[in-house]
Amino acid sequence: MPIGAVLAGTLLLAGCGGAGEDAGPPPVDPAVRSYCDTVVRVQAEQTSPQAGQGGVAVASAAARKQVDDLRATAPPELAADWRTVSDLTDQALGSLAATRGDPNRIDRARLTDLEARSQPAVQRIKDVTAARCHVRWASPP
């Protein structure tokens, strides 16, 4: 899997499924429906067989769009967390762009640092999104 897809799965939230019982999850608050729909769409994009195809530039553009869409639709209580993830994603994508597609030039220490710095915001996003959108989060494959 190309590093851009790995990055998207790392800084973004990858892999979700329904959290409800057999009767289905509780209804989603209409105030967050657009965000929840975006979360489900992004999760599907990240886990599709085409995810990460087309090289670093294409995967990076897809990751950037996903973060932008999530940030734009996020409820107010997640605005600061999505700004953090967006800023760190920009830094990670910039680091990847500097490699010009050469995997030997990837600064893995930099990406690991950015991932670690994103974790508090990502965890809060996961917790609030699970509670508001009724999804179960899983680690990226």
Side-chain angles (χ1 to χ4, degrees):
M1 176 181 286
I3 192 69
V6 172
L7 172 69
T10 300
L11 291 183
L12 293 175
L13 313 170
C16 76
E21 303 290 320
D22 291 335
V28 172
D29 177 352
V32 295
R33 180 167 303 285
S34 177
Y35 172 68
C36 297
D37 290 347
T38 302
V39 168
V40 170
R41 178 184 54 80
V42 166
Q43 300 291 329
E45 290 171 1
Q46 290 180 353
T47 58
S48 82
Q50 294 80 27
Q53 300 299 311
V56 172
V58 171
S60 294
R64 175 76 266 143
K65 181 177 181 342
Q66 290 168 344
V67 171
D68 288 347
D69 290 351
L70 289 161
R71 184 176 173 185
T73 59
E77 70 261 37
L78 291 178
D81 297 300
W82 274 114
R83 263 192 314 277
T84 297
V85 170
S86 180
D87 292 345
L88 294 171
T89 298
D90 284 343
Q91 292 176 47
L93 293 175
S95 179
L96 289 173
T99 70
R100 293 190 171 92
D102 180 356
N104 295 321
R105 295 180 61 200
I106 294 172
D107 185 346
R108 295 186 193 287
R110 172 93 170 123
L111 295 179
T112 298
D113 174 62
L114 293 170
E115 179 184 0
R117 290 174 43 204
S118 75
Q119 287 313 296
V122 167
Q123 189 58 55
R124 178 160 157 69
I125 289 167
K126 286 181 178 183
D127 293 344
V128 171
T129 301
R132 302 283 309 267
C133 298
H134 315 295
V135 295
R136 179 184 68 239
W137 299 98
S139 298

